[in-house]
Amino acid sequence: SARTGVGAEISERVLGYIRALEQGNADAAADYWTEDSRLIGPGFDLNHAEVIRGLRSIFDAGTRVDVLNRRTVELFEHGDIVYEVAEAEEVLLPVAGSSPDTMHNNIFVRWKKGSDGKWRFHRALLGPAASAR
């Protein structure tokens, strides 16, 4: 079905983005966000440039990012827009000597299909992060 096709495309994009994060590659990660994207969460609202700057500073500090168990709970498709409800655990592994920080997030994503046919994050909302048990 068409739904399976879009679901597969979104999954592939998610995996590519996770790979960019795990490789500490901010330039590669930047291509997964629309130019007018926003990342919104408890206490922050970041535009595209701020998201990439933030990733770059995390990577420059030597922090490694591992994303565990990111899964799509639901997808709603509307042409060139897809709404995704997902959840993920992210582990930030700071430079040696400090302990890893694990976050469990509920994620709401508005994906937008670009003129190049690639799906990108247009709006990403992070629900309150609770420590993983």
Side-chain angles (χ1 to χ4, degrees):
S1 71
R3 186 172 197 104
T4 310
V6 167
E9 288 173 32
I10 296 289
S11 294
E12 197 175 300
R13 291 296 282 169
V14 166
L15 289 174
Y17 184 67
I18 290 172
R19 228 176 358 257
L21 293 182
E22 292 181 341
Q23 290 166 356
N25 188 336
D27 293 328
D31 185 51
Y32 288 85
W33 294 85
T34 65
E35 288 298 322
D36 62 344
S37 59
R38 300 198 82 77
L39 171 63
I40 303 161
F44 62 88
D45 179 349
L46 306 174
N47 65 26
H48 181 266
E50 292 166 332
V51 168
I52 305 313
R53 211 167 27 247
L55 287 175
R56 206 166 261 127
S57 72
I58 288 170
F59 300 150
D60 288 351
T63 300
R64 247 188 45 237
V65 179
D66 277 335
V67 180
L68 313 172
N69 310 323
R70 189 207 188 274
R71 68 182 198 94
T72 297
V73 180
E74 286 188 81
L75 272 188
F76 307 92
E77 187 189 340
H78 296 280
D80 285 348
I81 300 292
V82 166
Y83 295 93
E84 180 195 20
V85 179
E87 48 183 40
E89 280 177 50
E90 290 170 275
V91 183
L92 300 179
L93 303 168
V95 280
S98 40
S99 58
D101 186 15
T102 302
M103 297 175 298
H104 181 90
N105 274 314
N106 291 312
I107 308 165
F108 306 91
V109 180
R110 183 182 198 266
W111 291 87
K112 197 174 189 181
K113 190 177 228 179
S115 52
D116 60 0
K118 289 183 185 177
W119 290 98
R120 290 184 176 85
F121 303 118
H122 183 235
R123 296 287 182 270
L125 291 96
L126 300 180
S131 293
R133 294 188 239 312

